[in-house]
Amino acid sequence: MHIDWIWGLIGGLLIGTGGAVYLLGNGRIMGASGIIGGLIDGSGLDTKWERLIFLAGVILMPILLMPYYGQVDTHITNNYWVLAAAGLLVGIGTRLANGCTSGHGVCGMSRLSIRGFVATCCYILAGGVGVIIFRHLLGVI
């Protein structure tokens, strides 16, 4: 049996721990779209450095770990149009849902937020429909 699932488990534990530390450290939810959105629209300028440090960690940590893991197969497509469309759809979805999977799914559900459970169910449903459409019907991923 392949043990690739262990990386998902470790990643989930790290994200959950990061969310807990972020909440306990400053009393705010670790929602990546809210952290980025607050920098872009100017609503988070009072916590600008905290947000920039968070984003620096998200960007730099994989780069720092690359020498230890060699090549990792992410199964990502080489079709840049699909990647651009996916990024736009995720961005639109996070704005419509007033948050992302880290805010609603990880932090919201752990706080037993009804809104977090509903948003997470919608994300999972949309992901399943996306796979059916884009992989099985259109064959682009």
Side-chain angles (χ1 to χ4, degrees):
M1 178 173 150
H2 293 287
I3 61 165
D4 292 342
W5 59 270
I6 197 77
W7 295 115
L9 176 64
I10 291 169
L13 289 171
L14 288 172
I15 291 170
T17 302
V21 168
Y22 198 82
L23 181 63
L24 293 172
N26 64 21
R28 286 190 290 281
I29 302 298
M30 183 198 71
S33 65
I35 291 170
I36 295 169
L39 287 171
I40 293 172
D41 68 13
S43 66
L45 293 181
D46 56 330
T47 57
K48 174 177 69 172
W49 290 110
E50 171 187 307
R51 292 167 187 264
L52 289 172
I53 290 169
F54 175 86
L55 290 174
V58 169
I59 294 167
L60 292 176
M61 189 51 74
I63 294 169
L64 293 173
L65 293 175
M66 281 173 53
Y68 300 106
Y69 294 103
Q71 185 174 355
V72 178
D73 188 7
T74 61
H75 304 285
I76 196 166
T77 180
N78 291 329
N79 187 335
Y80 293 112
W81 291 107
V82 170
L83 292 175
L88 287 171
L89 288 171
V90 167
I92 291 167
T94 57
R95 289 311 257 179
L96 289 174
N98 290 322
C100 60
T101 53
S102 58
H104 286 304
V106 176
C107 298
M109 288 177 59
S110 66
R111 293 180 307 114
L112 302 178
S113 165
I114 299 295
R115 184 174 142 186
F117 280 99
V118 171
T120 303
C121 288
C122 290
Y123 291 143
I124 291 171
L125 180 65
V129 169
V131 167
I132 291 168
I133 292 171
F134 294 111
R135 174 170 281 217
H136 299 294
L137 296 178
L138 299 176
V140 294
I141 58 172

